[in-house]
Amino acid sequence: MGISLKSPQEIEIMRRACAIQSEILNQVCAKVRPGISTLELDQFAEKLCTDRKVTPGFKGYQGFPATICTSVNNEVVHGIPSTEKVLRDGDIIAIDFGIILEGLYADACRTVAVGDVSGEIEKFLERVRESLYRGIDQAIAGNTTGHIGHAVESYVRQFGYSPVRETVGHGIGRRLHEDPEVPNWGKPGNGTKLQAGMTICIEPIINMGGEQIITEPDGWTTHTSDGKLSGHFEHQILITDNGPEILTTWDRF
Ligand code: MG
């Protein structure tokens, strides 16, 4: 794998890829409502990929069977869409989604509420989202991946939440997962030094309770062992000499 610094041409393609990815992700999130199944959301995402002439990035990746990962409530990551998984009022759902455009990947995730959720859950989602931006603020050339992880972890720990240890952020480019790993914990100065031209995905995956997770028999879906909620937000970032540039734009609509 290794770390790849992107050429101006690659960066231009990635900007377009990430803009399309974000538009589709937002349209899929707008479809979320009580009564819809996660498979319907997946089919909608796949249709939008066809319409926009981009390739779903996750389908077939290490055998993953769908276009989006749908992780509901206490599911942590990599939930497989299904007709049997019907969303209910008060649920939360993380929709993780990637595409390929002209050989380059775009990858981002949002967790959204289904109908009306409790104030406690609303706060949880706001805080996990905020931890992403705390991490992004540290994505500066000369800092390390440890700066990012430390910013994420120190923010969420104050609420009693826990970063998941098994799944981390990552470099991205011609492969979905490149070096470096970008954990949601760490110490400033530890890990990999960030350089202009690197593209990374920062993705806090945060449990409301303890960090332990269990993988289900399907081999993909994971859930929290204490049954508490898990939230996940992800942006794809370009490191520049003038600070981080958020390439995925789902928060700008
Ligand atoms: Mg990712």
Side-chain angles (χ1 to χ4, degrees):
M1 293 214 293
I3 294 172
S4 64
L5 299 181
K6 273 63 182 188
S7 69
Q9 291 75 18
E10 288 173 319
I11 289 167
E12 191 273 324
I13 296 167
M14 286 179 111
R15 282 201 184 97
R16 283 190 283 123
C18 287
I20 295 169
Q21 189 275 355
S22 298
E23 275 181 44
I24 296 176
L25 180 59
N26 276 354
Q27 287 186 62
V28 175
C29 287
K31 275 264 186 202
V32 167
R33 57 176 165 73
I36 198 166
S37 75
T38 54
L39 189 70
E40 285 173 84
L41 294 173
D42 185 70
Q43 288 167 340
F44 182 58
E46 188 157 350
K47 180 190 175 299
L48 293 174
C49 287
T50 306
D51 291 349
R52 298 301 301 266
K53 300 184 171 54
V54 295
T55 308
F58 295 172
K59 198 166 192 174
Y61 184 82
Q62 296 181 353
F64 189 76
T67 294
I68 56 176
C69 299
T70 50
S71 305
V72 178
N73 294 336
N74 69 326
E75 291 171 352
V76 179
V77 286
H78 305 152
I80 298 174
S82 160
T83 45
E84 279 158 36
K85 199 96 192 177
V86 176
L87 299 178
R88 293 167 306 183
D89 194 44
D91 285 345
I92 61 170
I93 177 171
I95 299 178
D96 194 355
F97 170 57
I99 64 164
I100 309 166
L101 177 71
E102 298 170 31
L104 288 152
Y105 277 88
D107 174 20
C109 177
R110 285 176 64 186
T111 304
V112 294
V114 182
D116 293 317
V117 297
S118 71
E120 189 193 10
I121 295 174
E122 239 169 52
K123 261 191 203 155
F124 173 67
L125 294 182
E126 266 168 37
R127 289 163 173 170
V128 179
R129 181 183 163 120
E130 173 64 19
S131 76
L132 168 60
Y133 293 99
R134 302 259 172 150
I136 291 171
D137 284 345
Q138 298 299 318
I140 294 168
N143 272 2
T144 65
T145 51
H147 282 87
I148 296 171
H150 177 75
V152 170
E153 179 172 29
S154 58
Y155 180 72
V156 299
R157 286 277 184 211
Q158 66 182 307
F159 308 111
Y161 306 157
S162 314
V164 167
R165 313 294 289 198
E166 286 81 353
T167 309
V168 296
H170 51 92
I172 185 165
R174 296 195 179 274
R175 292 166 187 262
L176 178 58
H177 296 118
E178 296 182 351
D179 287 338
E181 290 196 340
V182 186
N184 295 304
W185 65 92
K187 285 193 180 134
N190 286 4
T192 302
K193 196 166 177 180
L194 302 173
Q195 300 174 60
M198 286 170 64
T199 43
I200 58 171
C201 287
I202 301 176
E203 51 180 320
I205 300 159
I206 306 297
N207 292 347
M208 205 173 200
E211 68 186 39
Q212 284 79 24
I213 64 172
I214 294 166
T215 302
E216 294 181 10
D218 66 22
W220 283 103
T221 315
T222 54
H223 64 262
T224 58
S225 62
D226 60 12
K228 293 189 177 174
L229 298 179
S230 189
H232 181 189
F233 287 87
E234 175 181 18
H235 266 311
Q236 184 165 326
I237 307 295
L238 169 68
I239 311 289
T240 80
D241 287 320
N242 305 308
E245 177 182 334
I246 300 176
L247 298 176
T248 40
T249 51
W250 52 253
D251 54 353
R252 290 183 212 161
F253 289 85

